[in-house]
Structure formats: structure tokens, C-alpha cells
Amino acid sequence: MIEQLFPNVEWAALWTASLETVYMSLAAVIMTFILGIILGLLLYLTDKGNFWENKTLHALTAAVVNIFRSIPFIILLILLIPFTNAMLGTFLGPSAALPALVAGAAPFYARLVEIGFREVDKGVIEAAQSMGAGQGRIIMRVLLPESMPALVSGITVTGITLVSFTAMAGAIGAGGLGDLAYREGFQRTQPDVTFASTIAVLIIVFVFQMIGDQLTSKLDKR
């Protein structure tokens, strides 16, 4: 039955492409989580009325975030080819897609991080200050823990976006399911390969969403 529905699918190749997509997505999610929190903290802390209020630094950080967030991912991929080639010695393969994936996703996630920080009750921060807690302690012990459900929810959304980004990256040689669907499915007119690749992408997305929802539910104390 499966062979009749997917006569052209090489299951070993589909499995390899799925692993490449999972690798790109997970590695990019981890790096995006770290970089996004750093950028989000800068956006939040340098804004008016916060610990590191600095109009110039806030404007500069916001400009970088907005510029990278506004560039379509496929164009960003092409723009970063010289940088990727200089850094890794190649712009082909799953690892070579990571700089563009992180550059495309981290600014988007940074804005979600900033929103998460803004939702933290000011009274909790003021209470910590009145007890003599320093800025670093407030950030690590109050701001980050209180906003963690929002941060995890945000990285879940970003992770799903990254899975779609990996499919686009496949079009310029990054590998993964996008590459398989385009090269073996579209270019060779084998719609069953494209369909099987799409199903594999959907499974990865559903798993990401399920794990993210469970973590958010566990972290949410409300």
C-alpha cells in the first residue's frame, strides 16, 4: 500500500533528510534562544525607565533587530553566503545554513522576549529592589524566571518558523527535507516525494509544538 502511494520515495533518503532538518532546527533554536534573550534584554533594559536606560543603545539595538527582521529569509540566505563561506569554508550543507537561520530568527524572537519581559509585574521587581537585590540578581532571579513561560512559548513559535526556514535553505543546497522536496520531488516531477517530505515536515512541527506546549504548561504558575 505504501509502495503504491509513494513509488518514487527512497525511505533511507527521506530519513536522512528528516535528520538534517531536525539538526538544523534544533541547533538554530538553541542559538536563537541564547541570542534572542540577549537582544531582548538589551531592548528591554535600555528602554526608558529601566535599569540600563540608554536612548542611543536602545535605538541602535532596535534598528538592528528591525532590519534583520524585515529581510525576507531567502534574500538573507543569499546575502550571507560570503560570510558563511568565509566562516565555514562552504555555503552548502546543514551546518552552513545555521548562520542565516539564526540571523533570520533571533531578531524575531528578541521582540517576543522583550514583550515577555514587559509582561512581568513591576511590583515583583520593585519588591526585589526594596529587599536590596542588585540588578544582576533581579534579572537572573526575578525577570527571567517570571517571564520564562512567555519565553518558552515564544521559542516554540520561533522553532516552528525555523523548520519552514530550513525548507527554504534546502533550495540553495542546505540539505534537509526542503532540498529533497525541491530536487527529487519538484525538479524530477515526482509529487509523491514532495508529499512525503511535506508529511515529514508536519510531523516535526507537531512534535515541536507539543514539546513547547508541555514545557510552557509546566512553567506557568498561574
CSV table of all heavy atoms in Angstrom, one decimal, residues 60-116:
chain,number,residue,atom,x,y,z
A,60,LEU,N,19.9,51.8,18.6
A,60,LEU,CA,20.8,51.0,17.7
A,60,LEU,C,20.4,49.5,17.7
A,60,LEU,O,20.3,48.9,16.7
A,60,LEU,CB,22.2,51.2,18.3
A,60,LEU,CG,23.3,50.4,17.5
A,60,LEU,CD1,23.3,50.9,16.0
A,60,LEU,CD2,24.6,50.6,18.2
A,61,THR,N,20.1,49.0,18.9
A,61,THR,CA,19.6,47.6,19.0
A,61,THR,C,18.3,47.4,18.3
A,61,THR,O,18.2,46.4,17.6
A,61,THR,CB,19.5,47.2,20.5
A,61,THR,OG1,20.7,47.5,21.2
A,61,THR,CG2,19.2,45.7,20.6
A,62,ALA,N,17.4,48.3,18.5
A,62,ALA,CA,16.1,48.2,17.8
A,62,ALA,C,16.2,48.3,16.3
A,62,ALA,O,15.6,47.5,15.6
A,62,ALA,CB,15.2,49.3,18.3
A,63,ALA,N,17.2,49.1,15.8
A,63,ALA,CA,17.4,49.2,14.4
A,63,ALA,C,17.9,47.9,13.8
A,63,ALA,O,17.5,47.4,12.7
A,63,ALA,CB,18.4,50.4,14.1
A,64,VAL,N,18.9,47.3,14.5
A,64,VAL,CA,19.5,46.0,14.0
A,64,VAL,C,18.4,44.9,14.0
A,64,VAL,O,18.3,44.2,13.0
A,64,VAL,CB,20.7,45.6,14.9
A,64,VAL,CG1,21.1,44.2,14.6
A,64,VAL,CG2,21.8,46.6,14.8
A,65,VAL,N,17.6,44.9,15.1
A,65,VAL,CA,16.6,43.9,15.1
A,65,VAL,C,15.5,44.1,14.0
A,65,VAL,O,15.1,43.1,13.3
A,65,VAL,CB,15.9,43.9,16.5
A,65,VAL,CG1,14.6,43.2,16.5
A,65,VAL,CG2,16.8,43.4,17.6
A,66,ASN,N,15.1,45.3,13.8
A,66,ASN,CA,14.1,45.6,12.8
A,66,ASN,C,14.6,45.4,11.4
A,66,ASN,O,13.8,44.9,10.5
A,66,ASN,CB,13.6,47.1,12.9
A,66,ASN,CG,12.8,47.3,14.2
A,66,ASN,OD1,12.2,46.4,14.8
A,66,ASN,ND2,12.8,48.5,14.7
A,67,ILE,N,15.9,45.7,11.1
A,67,ILE,CA,16.4,45.5,9.8
A,67,ILE,C,16.5,44.0,9.5
A,67,ILE,O,16.0,43.6,8.4
A,67,ILE,CB,17.8,46.1,9.7
A,67,ILE,CG1,17.7,47.6,9.7
A,67,ILE,CG2,18.5,45.6,8.4
A,67,ILE,CD1,19.1,48.3,9.8
A,68,PHE,N,17.0,43.2,10.4
A,68,PHE,CA,17.2,41.7,10.1
A,68,PHE,C,15.8,41.1,10.1
A,68,PHE,O,15.6,40.1,9.4
A,68,PHE,CB,18.1,41.1,11.1
A,68,PHE,CG,19.5,41.2,10.7
A,68,PHE,CD1,20.3,42.3,11.2
A,68,PHE,CD2,20.1,40.2,10.0
A,68,PHE,CE1,21.6,42.4,10.8
A,68,PHE,CE2,21.5,40.3,9.6
A,68,PHE,CZ,22.2,41.4,10.1
A,69,ARG,N,14.9,41.6,10.9
A,69,ARG,CA,13.5,41.0,10.9
A,69,ARG,C,12.7,41.3,9.6
A,69,ARG,O,11.8,40.5,9.3
A,69,ARG,CB,12.8,41.6,12.1
A,69,ARG,CG,11.7,40.7,12.7
A,69,ARG,CD,11.3,41.2,14.1
A,69,ARG,NE,10.9,42.6,14.1
A,69,ARG,CZ,9.7,43.0,14.4
A,69,ARG,NH1,8.8,42.1,14.8
A,69,ARG,NH2,9.3,44.2,14.5
A,70,SER,N,13.1,42.4,8.9
A,70,SER,CA,12.4,42.8,7.8
A,70,SER,C,12.9,42.1,6.5
A,70,SER,O,12.2,42.2,5.5
A,70,SER,CB,12.5,44.3,7.6
A,70,SER,OG,12.0,45.0,8.8
A,71,ILE,N,14.1,41.6,6.5
A,71,ILE,CA,14.6,41.0,5.3
A,71,ILE,C,14.0,39.6,5.0
A,71,ILE,O,14.1,38.8,5.9
A,71,ILE,CB,16.2,40.9,5.4
A,71,ILE,CG1,16.8,42.2,5.6
A,71,ILE,CG2,16.8,40.2,4.1
A,71,ILE,CD1,18.3,42.2,5.9
A,72,PRO,N,13.4,39.4,3.9
A,72,PRO,CA,12.9,38.0,3.6
A,72,PRO,C,14.0,37.0,3.7
A,72,PRO,O,15.1,37.2,3.3
A,72,PRO,CB,12.4,38.2,2.1
A,72,PRO,CG,12.1,39.6,2.0
A,72,PRO,CD,13.2,40.3,2.8
A,73,PHE,N,13.6,35.8,4.3
A,73,PHE,CA,14.7,34.9,4.6
A,73,PHE,C,15.5,34.4,3.4
A,73,PHE,O,16.7,34.2,3.5
A,73,PHE,CB,14.1,33.7,5.3
A,73,PHE,CG,15.1,32.6,5.7
A,73,PHE,CD1,16.0,32.9,6.7
A,73,PHE,CD2,15.1,31.4,5.1
A,73,PHE,CE1,17.0,32.0,7.1
A,73,PHE,CE2,16.1,30.5,5.5
A,73,PHE,CZ,17.0,30.8,6.5
A,74,ILE,N,14.8,34.2,2.3
A,74,ILE,CA,15.5,33.7,1.1
A,74,ILE,C,16.6,34.7,0.6
A,74,ILE,O,17.7,34.3,0.2
A,74,ILE,CB,14.5,33.3,-0.1
A,74,ILE,CG1,15.2,32.5,-1.2
A,74,ILE,CG2,13.9,34.6,-0.6
A,74,ILE,CD1,15.7,31.2,-0.8
A,75,ILE,N,16.3,36.0,0.8
A,75,ILE,CA,17.3,37.0,0.4
A,75,ILE,C,18.4,37.0,1.4
A,75,ILE,O,19.6,37.2,1.1
A,75,ILE,CB,16.6,38.4,0.3
A,75,ILE,CG1,15.5,38.4,-0.8
A,75,ILE,CG2,17.6,39.5,0.1
A,75,ILE,CD1,14.7,39.7,-0.9
A,76,LEU,N,18.0,36.9,2.7
A,76,LEU,CA,19.0,36.8,3.8
A,76,LEU,C,20.0,35.7,3.6
A,76,LEU,O,21.2,35.8,3.8
A,76,LEU,CB,18.4,36.7,5.1
A,76,LEU,CG,19.3,36.8,6.4
A,76,LEU,CD1,19.9,38.2,6.4
A,76,LEU,CD2,18.5,36.6,7.6
A,77,LEU,N,19.5,34.6,3.1
A,77,LEU,CA,20.3,33.4,2.8
A,77,LEU,C,21.4,33.8,1.8
A,77,LEU,O,22.6,33.4,1.9
A,77,LEU,CB,19.5,32.3,2.3
A,77,LEU,CG,18.9,31.2,3.2
A,77,LEU,CD1,17.9,30.3,2.5
A,77,LEU,CD2,20.0,30.4,3.9
A,78,ILE,N,21.0,34.4,0.7
A,78,ILE,CA,21.9,34.8,-0.4
A,78,ILE,C,22.9,35.8,0.1
A,78,ILE,O,24.1,35.8,-0.2
A,78,ILE,CB,21.1,35.3,-1.6
A,78,ILE,CG1,20.2,34.2,-2.1
A,78,ILE,CG2,22.0,35.8,-2.7
A,78,ILE,CD1,19.1,34.6,-3.1
A,79,LEU,N,22.4,36.8,0.9
A,79,LEU,CA,23.3,37.9,1.4
A,79,LEU,C,24.4,37.4,2.3
A,79,LEU,O,25.5,37.9,2.3
A,79,LEU,CB,22.4,38.9,2.1
A,79,LEU,CG,21.5,39.8,1.3
A,79,LEU,CD1,20.7,40.7,2.2
A,79,LEU,CD2,22.4,40.7,0.4
A,80,LEU,N,24.1,36.3,3.0
A,80,LEU,CA,25.0,35.8,4.0
A,80,LEU,C,25.9,34.7,3.4
A,80,LEU,O,26.8,34.2,4.1
A,80,LEU,CB,24.3,35.2,5.2
A,80,LEU,CG,23.7,36.3,6.1
A,80,LEU,CD1,23.0,35.6,7.3
A,80,LEU,CD2,24.7,37.3,6.7
A,81,ILE,N,25.8,34.4,2.1
A,81,ILE,CA,26.7,33.3,1.5
A,81,ILE,C,28.1,33.7,1.7
A,81,ILE,O,28.9,32.8,2.1
A,81,ILE,CB,26.3,33.1,0.0
A,81,ILE,CG1,25.0,32.3,0.0
A,81,ILE,CG2,27.4,32.4,-0.7
A,81,ILE,CD1,24.5,32.0,-1.4
A,82,PRO,N,28.6,34.9,1.4
A,82,PRO,CA,30.0,35.3,1.5
A,82,PRO,C,30.5,35.1,3.0
A,82,PRO,O,31.6,34.6,3.2
A,82,PRO,CB,30.1,36.7,1.1
A,82,PRO,CG,28.9,36.9,0.2
A,82,PRO,CD,27.8,36.1,0.7
A,83,PHE,N,29.7,35.5,3.9
A,83,PHE,CA,30.0,35.4,5.4
A,83,PHE,C,30.1,33.9,5.8
A,83,PHE,O,31.1,33.5,6.4
A,83,PHE,CB,29.0,36.1,6.2
A,83,PHE,CG,29.1,35.9,7.7
A,83,PHE,CD1,30.1,36.5,8.4
A,83,PHE,CD2,28.3,35.0,8.3
A,83,PHE,CE1,30.2,36.3,9.8
A,83,PHE,CE2,28.4,34.7,9.7
A,83,PHE,CZ,29.4,35.4,10.4
A,84,THR,N,29.1,33.2,5.4
A,84,THR,CA,29.1,31.7,5.7
A,84,THR,C,30.3,31.0,5.1
A,84,THR,O,31.0,30.2,5.7
A,84,THR,CB,27.8,31.1,5.2
A,84,THR,OG1,26.7,31.8,5.8
A,84,THR,CG2,27.7,29.6,5.6
A,85,ASN,N,30.6,31.4,3.8
A,85,ASN,CA,31.7,30.7,3.1
A,85,ASN,C,33.0,31.1,3.8
A,85,ASN,O,33.9,30.2,3.9
A,85,ASN,CB,31.7,31.2,1.7
A,85,ASN,CG,32.4,30.2,0.7
A,85,ASN,OD1,32.5,29.1,1.0
A,85,ASN,ND2,32.9,30.7,-0.4
A,86,ALA,N,33.2,32.4,4.3
A,86,ALA,CA,34.4,32.8,4.9
A,86,ALA,C,34.5,32.1,6.3
A,86,ALA,O,35.6,31.8,6.7
A,86,ALA,CB,34.4,34.3,5.1
A,87,MET,N,33.4,31.9,7.0
A,87,MET,CA,33.5,31.4,8.3
A,87,MET,C,33.6,29.9,8.3
A,87,MET,O,34.4,29.3,9.2
A,87,MET,CB,32.2,31.8,9.1
A,87,MET,CG,32.2,31.4,10.6
A,87,MET,SD,30.8,32.0,11.5
A,87,MET,CE,29.4,31.1,10.8
A,88,LEU,N,32.9,29.2,7.4
A,88,LEU,CA,32.9,27.7,7.4
A,88,LEU,C,33.6,27.1,6.3
A,88,LEU,O,33.8,25.8,6.3
A,88,LEU,CB,31.4,27.2,7.5
A,88,LEU,CG,30.6,27.6,8.7
A,88,LEU,CD1,29.2,27.1,8.5
A,88,LEU,CD2,31.2,27.1,10.0
A,89,GLY,N,34.0,27.9,5.3
A,89,GLY,CA,34.7,27.3,4.1
A,89,GLY,C,33.7,26.8,3.1
A,89,GLY,O,34.2,26.3,2.0
A,90,THR,N,32.5,26.8,3.3
A,90,THR,CA,31.4,26.4,2.4
A,90,THR,C,30.1,27.0,2.7
A,90,THR,O,29.9,27.4,3.8
A,90,THR,CB,31.3,24.8,2.4
A,90,THR,OG1,30.3,24.4,1.5
A,90,THR,CG2,30.9,24.4,3.8
A,91,PHE,N,29.2,27.1,1.7
A,91,PHE,CA,27.9,27.6,2.0
A,91,PHE,C,26.9,26.5,1.7
A,91,PHE,O,25.6,26.7,1.7
A,91,PHE,CB,27.5,28.8,1.1
A,91,PHE,CG,27.5,28.6,-0.3
A,91,PHE,CD1,26.4,28.2,-1.0
A,91,PHE,CD2,28.7,28.8,-1.1
A,91,PHE,CE1,26.4,28.0,-2.4
A,91,PHE,CE2,28.7,28.6,-2.5
A,91,PHE,CZ,27.6,28.2,-3.1
A,92,LEU,N,27.4,25.2,1.6
A,92,LEU,CA,26.5,24.1,1.3
A,92,LEU,C,26.5,23.2,2.6
A,92,LEU,O,27.4,23.1,3.3
A,92,LEU,CB,27.0,23.3,0.1
A,92,LEU,CG,27.1,24.0,-1.2
A,92,LEU,CD1,27.7,23.1,-2.2
A,92,LEU,CD2,25.7,24.5,-1.6
A,93,GLY,N,25.3,22.5,2.8
A,93,GLY,CA,25.2,21.5,3.9
A,93,GLY,C,24.4,22.1,5.0
A,93,GLY,O,24.3,23.4,5.1
A,94,PRO,N,23.9,21.3,5.9
A,94,PRO,CA,23.1,21.7,7.1
A,94,PRO,C,23.8,22.7,8.0
A,94,PRO,O,23.2,23.7,8.4
A,94,PRO,CB,22.8,20.4,7.8
A,94,PRO,CG,22.9,19.3,6.8
A,94,PRO,CD,24.0,19.8,5.9
A,95,SER,N,25.1,22.5,8.3
A,95,SER,CA,25.8,23.4,9.2
A,95,SER,C,25.9,24.8,8.6
A,95,SER,O,25.9,25.8,9.3
A,95,SER,CB,27.1,22.9,9.6
A,95,SER,OG,27.0,21.7,10.4
A,96,ALA,N,26.1,24.9,7.3
A,96,ALA,CA,26.3,26.2,6.6
A,96,ALA,C,25.0,27.0,6.6
A,96,ALA,O,25.0,28.2,6.4
A,96,ALA,CB,26.7,25.9,5.2
A,97,ALA,N,23.9,26.4,6.9
A,97,ALA,CA,22.6,27.1,6.9
A,97,ALA,C,22.4,27.8,8.2
A,97,ALA,O,21.6,28.7,8.3
A,97,ALA,CB,21.4,26.2,6.6
A,98,LEU,N,23.1,27.4,9.3
A,98,LEU,CA,22.9,27.9,10.6
A,98,LEU,C,23.0,29.4,10.8
A,98,LEU,O,22.2,30.0,11.4
A,98,LEU,CB,23.7,27.1,11.6
A,98,LEU,CG,23.4,25.6,11.8
A,98,LEU,CD1,24.4,25.0,12.8
A,98,LEU,CD2,22.0,25.4,12.2
A,99,PRO,N,24.1,30.0,10.2
A,99,PRO,CA,24.2,31.5,10.4
A,99,PRO,C,23.0,32.2,9.9
A,99,PRO,O,22.5,33.2,10.5
A,99,PRO,CB,25.5,31.8,9.6
A,99,PRO,CG,26.3,30.6,9.6
A,99,PRO,CD,25.3,29.5,9.6
A,100,ALA,N,22.5,31.9,8.7
A,100,ALA,CA,21.3,32.5,8.1
A,100,ALA,C,20.1,32.2,9.0
A,100,ALA,O,19.2,33.1,9.2
A,100,ALA,CB,21.1,32.1,6.7
A,101,LEU,N,19.9,31.0,9.4
A,101,LEU,CA,18.8,30.6,10.2
A,101,LEU,C,18.7,31.4,11.5
A,101,LEU,O,17.7,32.0,11.9
A,101,LEU,CB,18.8,29.1,10.6
A,101,LEU,CG,18.6,28.1,9.4
A,101,LEU,CD1,18.9,26.7,9.9
A,101,LEU,CD2,17.1,28.2,8.9
A,102,VAL,N,19.9,31.6,12.2
A,102,VAL,CA,19.9,32.3,13.4
A,102,VAL,C,19.7,33.8,13.2
A,102,VAL,O,19.0,34.5,13.9
A,102,VAL,CB,21.2,32.1,14.2
A,102,VAL,CG1,21.3,32.9,15.4
A,102,VAL,CG2,21.4,30.6,14.6
A,103,ALA,N,20.3,34.3,12.1
A,103,ALA,CA,20.2,35.7,11.8
A,103,ALA,C,18.8,36.1,11.4
A,103,ALA,O,18.3,37.2,11.7
A,103,ALA,CB,21.1,36.1,10.6
A,104,GLY,N,18.1,35.1,10.8
A,104,GLY,CA,16.7,35.4,10.5
A,104,GLY,C,15.7,35.2,11.6
A,104,GLY,O,14.7,36.0,11.7
A,105,ALA,N,16.0,34.3,12.6
A,105,ALA,CA,15.1,34.0,13.6
A,105,ALA,C,15.3,34.8,14.9
A,105,ALA,O,14.4,35.2,15.6
A,105,ALA,CB,15.1,32.5,13.9
A,106,ALA,N,16.6,35.1,15.3
A,106,ALA,CA,16.9,35.7,16.5
A,106,ALA,C,16.2,37.1,16.7
A,106,ALA,O,15.7,37.4,17.8
A,106,ALA,CB,18.4,35.8,16.7
A,107,PRO,N,16.2,38.0,15.7
A,107,PRO,CA,15.6,39.3,15.8
A,107,PRO,C,14.1,39.1,16.1
A,107,PRO,O,13.5,39.9,16.9
A,107,PRO,CB,15.9,40.0,14.5
A,107,PRO,CG,17.1,39.3,14.0
A,107,PRO,CD,17.0,37.9,14.4
A,108,PHE,N,13.4,38.2,15.4
A,108,PHE,CA,12.0,38.0,15.6
A,108,PHE,C,11.8,37.5,17.0
A,108,PHE,O,10.9,38.0,17.7
A,108,PHE,CB,11.5,36.9,14.6
A,108,PHE,CG,10.2,36.4,14.9
A,108,PHE,CD1,9.0,37.1,14.5
A,108,PHE,CD2,10.0,35.1,15.4
A,108,PHE,CE1,7.8,36.6,14.8
A,108,PHE,CE2,8.7,34.6,15.7
A,108,PHE,CZ,7.6,35.4,15.4
A,109,TYR,N,12.6,36.6,17.5
A,109,TYR,CA,12.4,36.1,18.9
A,109,TYR,C,12.8,37.2,19.9
A,109,TYR,O,12.1,37.2,21.0
A,109,TYR,CB,13.3,34.8,19.1
A,109,TYR,CG,13.2,34.3,20.5
A,109,TYR,CD1,12.0,33.9,21.0
A,109,TYR,CD2,14.3,34.1,21.3
A,109,TYR,CE1,11.9,33.3,22.3
A,109,TYR,CE2,14.2,33.6,22.6
A,109,TYR,CZ,13.0,33.2,23.0
A,109,TYR,OH,12.9,32.7,24.3
A,110,ALA,N,13.7,38.0,19.6
A,110,ALA,CA,14.1,39.1,20.5
A,110,ALA,C,12.9,40.0,20.8
A,110,ALA,O,12.7,40.4,22.0
A,110,ALA,CB,15.2,39.9,19.9
A,111,ARG,N,12.1,40.3,19.8
A,111,ARG,CA,10.9,41.1,20.1
A,111,ARG,C,9.9,40.3,21.0
A,111,ARG,O,9.2,40.9,21.9
A,111,ARG,CB,10.2,41.4,18.8
A,111,ARG,CG,10.9,42.5,18.0
A,111,ARG,CD,11.0,43.8,18.8
A,111,ARG,NE,11.5,44.9,18.0
A,111,ARG,CZ,11.8,46.1,18.5
A,111,ARG,NH1,11.5,46.4,19.7
A,111,ARG,NH2,12.3,47.1,17.7
A,112,LEU,N,9.8,39.0,20.8
A,112,LEU,CA,8.9,38.2,21.7
A,112,LEU,C,9.5,38.2,23.1
A,112,LEU,O,8.7,38.2,24.1
A,112,LEU,CB,8.8,36.8,21.2
A,112,LEU,CG,8.2,36.6,19.8
A,112,LEU,CD1,8.1,35.1,19.4
A,112,LEU,CD2,6.8,37.2,19.7
A,113,VAL,N,10.8,38.1,23.2
A,113,VAL,CA,11.4,38.2,24.6
A,113,VAL,C,11.1,39.5,25.2
A,113,VAL,O,10.8,39.6,26.4
A,113,VAL,CB,13.0,38.0,24.4
A,113,VAL,CG1,13.7,38.3,25.7
A,113,VAL,CG2,13.3,36.6,24.0
A,114,GLU,N,11.3,40.6,24.5
A,114,GLU,CA,11.0,41.9,25.0
A,114,GLU,C,9.6,42.0,25.5
A,114,GLU,O,9.3,42.6,26.6
A,114,GLU,CB,11.3,43.0,24.0
A,114,GLU,CG,11.1,44.4,24.5
A,114,GLU,CD,11.1,45.5,23.4
A,114,GLU,OE1,11.0,45.1,22.2
A,114,GLU,OE2,11.3,46.7,23.7
A,115,ILE,N,8.6,41.5,24.8
A,115,ILE,CA,7.2,41.5,25.2
A,115,ILE,C,7.0,40.7,26.4
A,115,ILE,O,6.3,41.1,27.4
A,115,ILE,CB,6.3,41.0,24.0
A,115,ILE,CG1,6.3,42.0,22.8
A,115,ILE,CG2,4.9,40.8,24.5
A,115,ILE,CD1,5.7,41.4,21.6
A,116,GLY,N,7.7,39.6,26.5
A,116,GLY,CA,7.6,38.7,27.7
A,116,GLY,C,8.1,39.4,28.9
A,116,GLY,O,7.5,39.4,30.0
